[in-house]
């Protein structure tokens, strides 16, 4: 949210990965169209997608169907859906000929998404930044379970930021991996340098899980806000979202990206903070991961040949 713009998608495409514009960052249809057009103009034939984070429930005035039509109309072929069961929209998504990657927090939801007809699932485990779900199943277990239970292609995410993890995911049958936290320190990400430097300085121990009382568990960078939210939840297990909203509003987090003050706001970040070691161009991050992946592959081959 707020960071998945055209510049991010362009940088990802040029680095050889599939990046997503977050539709929720552009609530006005004209702005979303313009952002997609900007990305397409710079990407050429290189692919990018659009993430559609659907609200947890239908509300008056929801624009999800309109957003899907805009995406298809602008020539984008891949959408990532998240936040809610996509079943009501599957007939439209198929009609629009969109390739649907549905994001889920554990394999049991991936199985349902497969039955609904999505083309691929991304399974983000407990280590992920943002919303790891209520089950809090780790990525390593998700990968093994997905290989056993799914027939459609799947991606593994949550704590991913090293090339050896890519090789591990492929070995478990995944089609690839999903990354968020690791890429937040890319130079092309439109956030204040102090925000990125704070992520570089942080370790895998510097995250907090909160908002479980309102069944919307989120993993974020530990700061003053997460400490206060945890305090309120401990004092009142039945606290409602209305009481938490003044602290957890997305507008506060957006201000952190603008100013670099990371002391306030719910700033999604996962255990891959331990792997965010410097601010550098997106392509440099991906090249490093490719080198790490080759090294991991060679270790495996060396072990196999040695045993032979």
């Amino acid at each position: 949210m707020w960071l998945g713009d055209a510049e991010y998608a362009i940088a990802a495409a040029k680095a050889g990965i599939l990046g997503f514009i977050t539709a929720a960052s552009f609530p006005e249809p004209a702005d979303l169209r313009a952002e997609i057009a900007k990305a397409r103009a710079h990407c050429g034939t290189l692919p990018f997608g659009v993430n559609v984070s659907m609200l947890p429930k239908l509300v008056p005035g929801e624009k999800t169907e309109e957003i899907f039509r805009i995406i298809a109309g602008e020539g984008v072929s891949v959408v990532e859906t998240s936040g809610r069961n996509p079943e009501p929209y599957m007939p439209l998504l198929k009609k629009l000929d969109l390739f649907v990657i549905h994001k889920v927090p554990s394999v049991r939801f991936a199985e349902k998404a497969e039955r609904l007809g999505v083309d691929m699932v991304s399974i983000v485990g407990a280590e992920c930044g943002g919303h790891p779900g209520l089950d809090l199943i780790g990525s390593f277990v998700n990968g093994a379970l997905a290989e056993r239970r799914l027939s459609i292609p799947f991606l593994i995410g949550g704590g991913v930021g090293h090339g050896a993890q890519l090789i591990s995911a492929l070995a478990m049958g995944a089609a690839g991996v999903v990354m968020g936290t690791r890429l937040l320190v890319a130079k092309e990400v439109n956030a204040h340098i102090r925000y990125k430097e704070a992520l570089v300085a942080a370790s895998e121990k510097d995250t907090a899980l909160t908002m479980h009382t309102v069944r919307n568990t989120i993993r974020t960078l530990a700061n003053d806000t997460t400490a206060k939210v945890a305090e309120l939840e401990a004092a009142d297990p039945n606290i409602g979202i209305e009481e938490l909203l003044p602290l957890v509003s997305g507008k506060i987090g957006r201000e952190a990206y603008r100013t670099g003050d990371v002391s306030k706001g719910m700033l999604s970040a996962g255990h891959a903070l331990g792997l965010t070691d410097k601010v550098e161009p997106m392509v440099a991050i991906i090249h490093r991961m490719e080198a790490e992946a080759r090294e991991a592959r060679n270790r495996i081959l060396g072990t196999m040949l040695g045993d032979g």
Side-chain angles (χ1 to χ4, degrees):
M1 184 65 172
W2 309 124
L3 302 179
D5 58 10
E7 291 184 38
Y8 170 80
I10 293 163
K14 291 185 176 180
I17 63 175
L18 183 65
F20 290 85
I21 293 172
T22 49
S25 299
F26 306 93
E28 293 301 322
D31 293 336
L32 178 59
R33 286 192 182 93
E35 202 68 15
I36 293 174
K38 179 180 177 182
R40 191 172 60 246
H42 287 83
C43 287
T45 59
L46 298 174
F48 66 92
V50 178
N51 165 275
V52 181
S53 182
M54 301 175 291
L55 296 172
K57 60 181 180 180
L58 285 168
V59 297
E62 182 174 339
K63 299 179 180 179
T64 302
E65 182 173 324
E66 180 184 358
I67 290 169
F68 287 135
R69 293 186 185 279
I70 289 172
I71 292 167
E74 291 299 317
V76 176
S77 59
V78 181
V79 295
E80 179 189 58
T81 55
S82 61
R84 187 172 74 222
N85 183 341
E87 184 172 9
Y89 301 104
M90 287 307 299
L92 174 64
L93 292 166
K94 292 296 183 181
K95 181 180 178 181
L96 295 174
D97 198 27
L98 289 168
F99 186 93
V100 181
I101 305 174
H102 187 58
K103 183 182 289 183
V104 297
S106 61
V107 175
R108 67 185 178 103
F109 296 109
E111 291 179 280
K112 183 171 184 178
E114 178 176 357
R115 291 194 296 271
L116 295 177
V118 305
D119 299 288
M120 180 182 282
V121 288
S122 58
I123 309 168
V124 290
E127 305 93 327
C128 77
H131 300 281
L134 299 175
D135 295 342
L136 293 178
I137 306 299
S139 302
F140 208 62
V141 173
N142 275 334
L145 291 176
E147 189 277 332
R148 185 174 286 181
R149 298 178 183 175
L150 298 178
S151 299
I152 59 173
F154 65 91
L155 308 169
I156 291 295
V160 177
H162 191 286
Q165 293 169 296
L166 169 60
I167 296 300
S168 299
L170 295 176
M172 287 191 287
V177 294
V178 179
M179 294 188 295
T181 302
R182 179 67 185 92
L183 303 180
L184 290 175
V185 294
K187 281 188 175 180
E188 296 88 351
V189 169
N190 281 316
H192 200 285
I193 185 61
R194 287 202 299 269
Y195 162 76
K196 297 177 187 180
E197 289 172 345
L199 298 186
V200 169
S203 78
E204 65 277 12
K205 298 180 293 182
D206 294 318
T207 72
L209 280 174
T210 56
M211 295 182 66
H212 52 279
T213 56
V214 293
R215 299 184 63 79
N216 193 29
T217 304
I218 185 170
R219 185 181 298 281
T220 58
L221 184 68
N223 60 10
D224 295 346
T225 297
T226 59
K228 182 61 177 177
V229 171
E231 179 185 327
L232 291 173
E233 289 189 295
D236 181 7
N238 296 313
I239 195 170
I241 187 63
E242 295 79 11
E243 290 88 346
L244 296 177
L245 201 56
L247 292 168
V248 305
S249 168
K251 293 179 180 179
I252 303 173
R254 189 178 190 182
E255 192 67 7
Y257 302 142
R258 188 183 70 82
T259 66
D261 179 4
V262 300
S263 66
K264 297 180 178 62
M266 304 297 277
L267 309 176
S268 293
H271 287 161
L273 281 176
L275 299 164
T276 57
D277 54 355
K278 62 181 175 180
V279 178
E280 58 187 333
M282 179 81 73
V283 68
I285 295 173
I286 301 306
H287 282 175
R288 288 173 64 193
M289 289 194 64
E290 289 172 343
E292 293 162 351
R294 284 193 294 270
E295 185 177 346
R297 179 198 60 188
N298 291 340
R299 281 198 297 270
I300 294 171
L301 292 174
T303 301
M304 292 172 63
L305 291 172
D307 290 344

